[in-house]
Structures are given as structure tokens and as C-alpha cells.
């Protein structure tokens, strides 16, 4: 394995470890992780800078609210004010709820959902600024929470069950962000196709001094008429230089 691949894999492992520790990691852990690469101090500083930019604290927790927009802060404030009505429990009581939920007790599962709603909001802060609204991240996390409390029977301890629940919430938010990125990539590709077709249609229209047909574009671009028509449809029939008569 070359150093570039090893560095990328190590960095991802460090990020994962930090997530598991509440989005904080120690310098010692980072140095131990990268020891096989024998990084210089300047290189380690770049790693620390990268981690901080990804909302990971080094040796101390970071204030995630600093990364939120004013709109997100206002939404979160209102949301948490509603959740303040939920009665808190001691660590021992929370452990008892987990054990009961692991045994399939519906009441305990419902209580865990209530207790973890603020935790979902806190986790959502980690993923803010990545293209998905904070409100949507919280909604996605809440759905994972509702499903997750029914899937704890496989764990052997309350601590293990809590760790599983947190991972499921985080995974759901990461999947939402990945799906959003995929949608935006598809939108960009469509936009590129529409712009390309519009440009070629305009060039031919100027040459012919009239709107061009789908057939003429097909012959010019070596695309099938169906492909051109599909792009034209997806543009909302907005390419002015195409003569679509007989195709609609």
C-alpha cells in the first residue's frame, strides 16, 4: 500500500474514532495512528487543521454552535425549548430503560425515544453545513431513533445498546447527505446536457436561419432522436431554437 492510500485510510480511521468519542480525539491518539507514516510536525499540524475544520476537537470538545448559521441557531433554539419539557432521568434510570427496551418493552422504547431527542439534535450539528438543512438532519435522525430502539436486543449491555443507537442516528444522517450529493450531481449533469443541447441548437438555428428539428440535431450530434427529445423534455421545453412540432 502506497503512502497516499495509507494516509487517507488512517485519516478516515481517525475521524471514525473521534466520532465514536463524541467528536473529540487526543493528540496522542492522532500521533499513534499516524506513527507508521512518521509524519513531520508540520504535516501533523495540517492533520489537526483538517480535523478542526471537520468539527472534531483536539484534546477538548468544540462549540458546534459556532458552525451554525443564524437561521439554524434560531430553529434549534425553538426546537430545544419544546424538548425542555421532557423530564430528565439519572444514569441509572436510563440504563434501566435501555435494558427494558432490549427486552422488547414498548414503554421503555418510547421513553428512550423521548430521552434521545435532544441527543439527535446535538448529533445533527456535526453534519450541518454539508448541503442538508439542520431540520432535515434532525428529522432523519429521529426516524433512525424510532427504528433503532426496536433493534437493541442484539446488544449485551446498556452501554452497547446506546452506542448502537448513536451509530444508527449518525449513519442515517450520513446517508441523507450522500443522497443529497448524488441528487445534486445528477442535477448538474442534467444542466450540462441541457446547456450543451441549447448551445448546439442555437448554432444550427443561426446557420439555417430557423429553428432546428430534433432529427437535424440528432444527425449533427450523433445522438438518437429519443435522447435529444428526453433532454428537451427535462429542460421543460425551454430550448427556444428547437422545432418540436410533431413530437409533443
Amino acid at each position: 500500500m502506497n503512502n497516499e492510500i495509507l494516509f487517507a485510510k488512517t485519516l478516515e480511521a481517525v475521524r471514525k474514532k473521534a466520532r465514536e468519542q463524541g467528536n473529540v480525539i487526543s493528540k496522542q491518539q492522532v500521533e499513534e495512528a499516524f506513527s507508521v507514516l512518521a509524519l513531520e510536525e508540520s504535516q501533523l499540524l495540517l492533520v489537526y487543521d483538517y480535523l478542526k475544520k471537520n468539527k472534531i476537537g483536539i484534546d477538548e470538545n468544540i462549540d458546534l454552535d459556532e458552525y451554525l448559521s443564524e437561521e439554524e441557531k434560531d430553529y434549534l433554539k425553538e426546537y430545544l425549548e419544546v424538548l425542555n419539557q421532557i423530564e430528565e432521568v439519572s444514569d441509572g434510570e436510563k440504563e434501566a430503560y435501555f435494558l427494558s427496551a432490549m427486552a422488547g418493552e414498548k414503554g421503555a422504547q418510547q421513553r428512550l425515544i423521548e430521552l434521545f431527542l435532544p441527543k439527535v439534535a446535538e448529533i445533527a450539528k456535526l453534519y450541518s453545513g454539508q448541503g442538508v438543512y439542520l431540520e432535515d438532519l434532525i428529522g432523519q435522525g429521529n426516524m433512525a431513533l424510532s427504528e433503532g430502539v426496536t433493534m437493541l436486543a442484539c446488544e449485551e449491555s446498556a452501554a452497547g445498546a446506546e452506542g448502537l443507537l448513536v451509530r444508527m442516528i449518525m449513519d442515517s444522517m450520513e446517508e441523507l447527505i450522500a443522497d443529497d450529493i448524488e441528487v445534486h450531481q445528477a442535477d448538474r449533469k442534467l444542466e450540462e446536457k441541457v446547456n450543451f443541447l441549447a448551445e448546439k441548437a442555437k448554432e444550427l438555428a443561426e446557420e439555417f436561419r430557423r429553428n432546428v428539428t430534433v432529427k437535424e440535431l440528432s444527425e449533427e450530434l450523433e445522438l438518437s432522436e429519443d435522447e435529444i427529445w428526453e433532454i428537451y423534455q427535462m429542460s421543460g421545453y425551454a430550448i427556444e431554437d428547437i422545432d418540436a412540432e410533431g413530437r409533443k
Side-chain angles (χ1 to χ4, degrees):
M1 184 183 300
N2 63 42
N3 284 352
E4 289 80 7
I5 295 176
L6 181 57
F7 180 87
K9 288 183 175 292
T10 304
L11 187 59
E12 181 57 30
V14 166
R15 286 186 60 187
K16 183 178 179 181
K17 183 66 175 179
R19 296 286 191 229
E20 293 172 352
Q21 298 176 162
N23 234 47
V24 64
I25 196 165
S26 68
K27 285 187 176 181
Q28 182 179 347
Q29 287 176 307
V30 174
E31 291 171 3
E32 288 176 353
F34 283 97
S35 60
V36 65
L37 286 166
L39 297 184
E40 297 179 358
E41 184 64 26
S42 60
Q43 293 173 307
L44 279 173
L45 289 175
L46 291 175
V47 171
Y48 296 142
D49 185 58
Y50 170 84
L51 294 174
K52 289 176 182 177
K53 287 179 179 178
N54 281 271
K55 305 176 186 176
I56 294 174
I58 309 298
D59 285 330
E60 61 182 1
N61 292 318
I62 58 175
D63 184 2
L64 294 174
D65 288 340
E66 293 182 1
Y67 295 85
L68 300 179
S69 67
E70 290 304 316
E71 182 180 355
E72 288 174 326
K73 289 179 182 178
D74 290 342
Y75 168 77
L76 193 60
K77 180 180 178 181
E78 293 181 8
Y79 183 76
L80 292 178
E81 283 177 356
V82 175
L83 298 187
N84 282 338
Q85 301 173 18
I86 299 174
E87 183 180 351
E88 296 183 359
V89 297
S90 66
D91 291 341
E93 289 173 319
K94 185 174 72 171
E95 181 179 3
Y97 281 123
F98 265 110
L99 294 174
S100 296
M102 291 162 60
E105 186 179 316
K106 300 297 182 184
Q109 292 172 355
Q110 185 58 44
R111 185 70 173 116
L112 279 181
I113 292 175
E114 295 176 353
L115 294 174
F116 262 75
L117 289 175
K119 182 67 173 179
V120 171
E122 188 67 24
I123 292 172
K125 295 180 187 179
L126 297 174
Y127 298 100
S128 65
Q130 298 188 54
V132 178
Y133 290 119
L134 183 69
E135 181 178 357
D136 293 334
L137 288 168
I138 292 174
Q140 185 79 3
N142 286 344
M143 286 192 292
L145 171 63
S146 297
E147 181 180 1
V149 295
T150 68
M151 302 171 63
L152 304 178
C154 60
E155 294 297 323
E156 297 180 354
S157 67
E162 183 170 1
L164 174 62
L165 202 54
V166 170
R167 288 195 301 275
M168 290 183 67
I169 293 168
M170 297 177 77
D171 287 347
S172 72
M173 294 182 187
E174 290 175 5
E175 288 172 8
L176 180 63
I177 291 171
D179 289 345
D180 182 74
I181 292 173
E182 186 175 336
V183 168
H184 279 80
Q185 288 175 336
D187 288 344
R188 282 195 295 272
K189 288 181 180 178
L190 173 58
E191 183 180 357
E192 290 172 359
K193 288 180 179 179
V194 170
N195 289 339
F196 173 75
L197 186 62
E199 182 181 338
K200 293 302 179 181
K202 183 177 181 180
E203 290 177 3
L204 283 181
E206 290 175 350
E207 180 182 339
F208 297 163
R209 297 189 178 184
R210 60 170 172 79
N211 287 353
V212 294
T213 65
V214 172
K215 182 178 180 181
E216 289 169 334
L217 279 168
S218 175
E219 293 171 350
E220 177 71 18
L221 302 178
E222 297 184 354
L223 292 174
S224 71
E225 292 184 34
D226 287 341
E227 288 176 309
I228 292 174
W229 182 249
E230 182 180 2
I231 297 172
Y232 180 53
Q233 283 180 309
M234 289 189 292
S235 77
Y237 306 105
I239 303 176
E240 297 178 353
D241 297 302
I242 292 181
D243 179 3
E245 200 64 35
R247 290 285 307 195
K248 290 186 179 181

